[in-house]
Amino acid sequence: MATLFLVIIYLSFISLGLPDSLIGVAWPVMQPDIGASFESAGLLSMVVAGGTIVSSLASGKIIEKLGTGLVTLISCVMTAGALFGFSFAPSLAWLILLAIPLGLGAGAVDSGLNHYVATHYKAHHMSWLHCFWGVGATAGPIIMSFYIASNGWRNGYTAVAFVQFGLVILLFVTLPLWKKVAALHQSSGPEAKGASTGAEEEQSADSDQTGIKPLKIRGVKVTLIAFLFYCGVEMTVGLWGASFLVGIKELSAETAATWVSMYYGGITVGRLITGFITLKVSNQTLIRMGQITALCGVVLLLLPLHSIFALFGLVLIGLGLAPIFPCLLHETPVRFGKEHSSRIMGYQMAVAYTGTTFLPPLFGVLASQWTVALFPVVVFLFIVAMFMGSEKVNRMIQHQ
């Protein structure tokens, strides 16, 4: 039963990943079709992420009242309905309106499942959980590129919406399982997390002090900076990568969409591999290695090389980003204590979505005023900022 429950959680994360990459890869053909300005994709991204921030902050109370299973089901219904609406939207105004439930549908389930897995399961489960997000994020551009080349972007949104509705049916059928597994965990206790022993246990104990506000704990605010720029990087590449490939590398829209799907494929495969590596390598080491790998990928985009190297660069960025987010999340109860991890997890998700909300649209404004050729420069700066924040919190934790 517990294994089946994990499979359901993984499939739920596919539903989170499917919509995340669609706007960016479809935008080169959506923009002229609906008569929107170039930077409007950033506005859509901002509305989606804004809704996600709101539902993330409210996720604790909502899940307490309805339960994680019902919240996941409702969220998937909202995203599926919004995506189906996208396929009929006649203008930018309708897309903005539909972006609200698309964002609200993602936030609560994202925070709830991340906290549950970080608290009750080992590190490799967190990596594999986000691997399944990558499965959805990779499948989205592949589906969209097929329809762009044949029947148009609207049919691409319809196809993805039908996939989402299929997940809705599965979640509805298995809804009673959530309460049964919750009771099983209460009776048997959480799964041992394996790596949190020795010095790390002492560190958690030091953080588990009553009366301390979570934001006052050493290292929390700096960690939030790393989350801010991580999501800024991930979404900026996903949202504007296709526009960079079409406008600067002179690729076709369908080829650009396929290449962006390879970027998400790098994240997916990287997280699958990371799940096994976490059994031997610490989260901190994996985070550092990932950031360095992502920087190498951006360098390939910066250099005046043949366009095929842009594909290699995108894949390298994806592989580099793969371990960072799940490892940062899984470190939360270890670094700051289980007593505070729920609230800190909510702060982290809210700040992460703040990065998703504001940083990619800011680049859209920058590109519309100057040139989309600045894309790799901005991504490079975001990764450097994330790297500096992550390394600083490591030093702070080591010296406390």
Side-chain angles (χ1 to χ4, degrees):
M1 185 184 295
T3 301
L4 178 60
F5 180 67
L6 269 176
V7 171
I8 294 170
I9 292 177
Y10 289 160
L11 291 176
S12 300
F13 255 65
I14 292 179
S15 73
L16 285 174
L18 273 170
D20 284 357
S21 51
L22 290 181
I23 294 176
V25 298
W27 193 244
V29 291
M30 287 177 66
Q31 179 201 346
D33 190 28
I34 63 174
S37 61
F38 176 80
E39 65 271 18
S40 297
L43 177 61
L44 283 174
S45 173
M46 182 180 292
V47 174
V48 172
T52 309
I53 292 172
V54 172
S55 56
S56 294
L57 292 174
S59 62
K61 292 183 179 179
I62 295 173
I63 291 174
E64 285 177 6
K65 291 183 178 180
L66 302 180
T68 305
L70 186 56
V71 168
T72 303
L73 173 62
I74 294 172
S75 298
C76 197
V77 170
M78 292 175 66
T79 56
L83 290 170
F84 191 64
F86 264 56
S87 65
F88 293 99
S91 65
L92 178 64
W94 278 99
L95 291 176
I96 292 173
L97 186 64
L98 290 164
I100 297 173
L102 188 62
L104 290 173
V109 62
D110 199 359
S111 297
L113 293 182
N114 274 310
H115 175 252
Y116 187 89
V117 174
T119 303
H120 297 290
Y121 292 93
K122 297 178 182 178
H124 59 273
H125 285 301
M126 182 64 81
S127 291
W128 290 338
L129 179 70
H130 288 270
C131 171
F132 274 78
W133 172 89
V135 170
T138 304
I142 293 174
I143 296 170
M144 184 59 73
S145 65
F146 172 79
Y147 281 97
I148 287 175
S150 55
N151 299 317
W153 64 270
R154 294 184 184 275
N155 288 321
Y157 270 105
T158 301
V160 174
F162 284 161
V163 174
Q164 287 278 73
F165 280 121
L167 286 169
V168 167
I169 295 173
L170 177 63
L171 288 168
F172 179 77
V173 171
T174 58
L175 189 60
L177 187 63
W178 292 79
K179 291 184 178 180
K180 292 181 180 179
V181 173
L184 182 65
H185 275 295
Q186 289 176 356
S187 61
S188 61
E191 177 180 320
K193 296 185 72 172
S196 301
T197 58
E200 291 182 344
E201 288 287 351
E202 294 177 8
Q203 182 175 303
S204 293
D206 291 338
S207 297
D208 269 345
Q209 301 176 41
T210 58
I212 298 178
K213 294 182 178 180
L215 287 177
K216 297 292 185 179
I217 297 174
R218 184 176 177 85
V220 169
K221 293 180 181 178
V222 183
T223 297
L224 296 180
I225 294 175
F227 275 92
L228 177 79
F229 283 102
Y230 171 83
C231 282
V233 171
E234 185 184 272
M235 184 54 69
T236 298
V237 175
L239 184 62
W240 299 112
S243 297
F244 170 76
L245 294 174
V246 172
I248 304 302
K249 298 299 181 179
E250 299 181 346
L251 301 178
S252 66
E254 56 267 27
T255 300
T258 302
W259 285 22
V260 172
S261 75
M262 298 299 289
Y263 155 71
Y264 285 108
I267 296 178
T268 304
V269 173
R271 285 176 177 168
L272 177 64
I273 297 171
T274 298
F276 294 102
I277 298 177
T278 55
L279 301 174
K280 298 291 184 181
V281 181
S282 70
N283 286 332
Q284 290 183 7
T285 300
L286 286 170
I287 293 168
R288 185 178 296 116
M289 291 171 58
Q291 290 165 338
I292 294 172
T293 302
L295 284 172
C296 292
V298 178
V299 169
L300 289 180
L301 297 181
L302 282 166
L303 296 176
L305 302 172
H306 188 275
S307 59
I308 192 64
F309 285 95
L311 173 60
F312 298 148
L314 287 172
V315 172
L316 266 182
I317 294 172
L319 288 171
L321 294 181
I324 298 174
F325 196 67
C327 288
L328 282 173
L329 288 172
H330 196 262
E331 281 288 279
T332 302
V334 175
R335 285 177 168 176
F336 309 120
K338 293 182 180 180
E339 177 185 347
H340 303 292
S341 65
S342 178
R343 292 182 64 184
I344 293 174
M345 187 73 74
Y347 296 151
Q348 288 173 165
M349 298 306 298
V351 171
Y353 285 121
T354 300
T356 300
T357 303
F358 293 106
L359 296 185
L362 283 176
F363 172 74
V365 174
L366 184 68
S368 66
Q369 296 297 317
W370 282 279
T371 171
V372 74
L374 293 172
F375 169 75
V377 177
V378 171
V379 172
F380 182 86
L381 294 175
F382 285 174
I383 295 176
V384 169
M386 172 179 56
F387 180 81
M388 293 174 64
S390 178
E391 289 299 305
K392 184 174 181 180
V393 74
N394 285 341
R395 292 192 296 270
M396 293 173 70
I397 295 297
Q398 289 171 0
H399 289 91
Q400 71 175 11

